[in-house]
Amino acid sequence: MAVRAVRGAVQLDRDEAGHMDERVGELLTAVLERNSLAADDLISIWFTATPDLHSDFPAAAARSLGIVDVPLICAQELDVAGAMPGAVRLLAHVETRLPRAEIQHVYLGATAALRKDIAQ
């Protein structure tokens, strides 16, 4: 079993707690499904949100999905001029038998433009 890192991102249409919960939940669910992972495979997850998002913590969406015993942390993304607004990114550390080359990084919707090199 190896420790791997999985990246992902999603863009929100509006800064509302319920919308953040829905979109981040969608992202986290896609990361788990596309990599054949269960909650027990999660080691930790880092979430970042752009400075225009402040209605809730992205980690709250993970808790809503029942991920309650995994260390989660939220941080603010750098405020870079011209950066995509309304974006939540994640970096999940997982235990998996997948080789690094088979990890599916998940960039939903417009966020695929952030990492064209690894977006699936």
Side-chain angles (χ1 to χ4, degrees):
M1 193 73 73
V3 173
R4 302 281 185 225
V6 184
R7 292 289 317 269
V10 66
Q11 187 177 34
L12 278 62
D13 300 320
R14 58 194 177 280
D15 185 25
E16 296 174 1
H19 183 59
M20 181 177 291
D21 189 64
E22 176 185 320
R23 296 293 292 164
V24 175
E26 178 184 350
L27 172 62
L28 190 49
T29 298
V31 165
L32 294 173
E33 288 177 356
R34 293 184 193 181
N35 289 286
S36 300
L37 298 168
D40 283 347
D41 300 321
L42 295 170
I43 297 169
S44 65
I45 306 174
W46 280 81
F47 293 95
T48 65
T50 52
D52 56 330
L53 298 176
H54 47 78
S55 62
D56 203 359
F57 295 100
R63 301 291 184 225
S64 295
L65 291 175
I67 299 170
V68 295
D69 61 348
V70 174
L72 308 174
I73 193 164
C74 299
Q76 188 175 73
E77 193 69 35
L78 292 174
D79 192 9
V80 175
M84 180 180 290
V88 174
R89 294 169 174 86
L90 70 75
L91 173 64
H93 299 97
V94 303
E95 290 183 316
T96 182
R97 296 193 187 288
L98 290 175
R100 184 176 296 146
E102 291 181 25
I103 293 293
Q104 301 287 309
H105 303 283
V106 179
Y107 289 80
L108 299 178
T111 63
L114 296 172
R115 290 298 307 265
K116 292 178 183 176
D117 57 328
I118 63 173
Q120 301 295 319

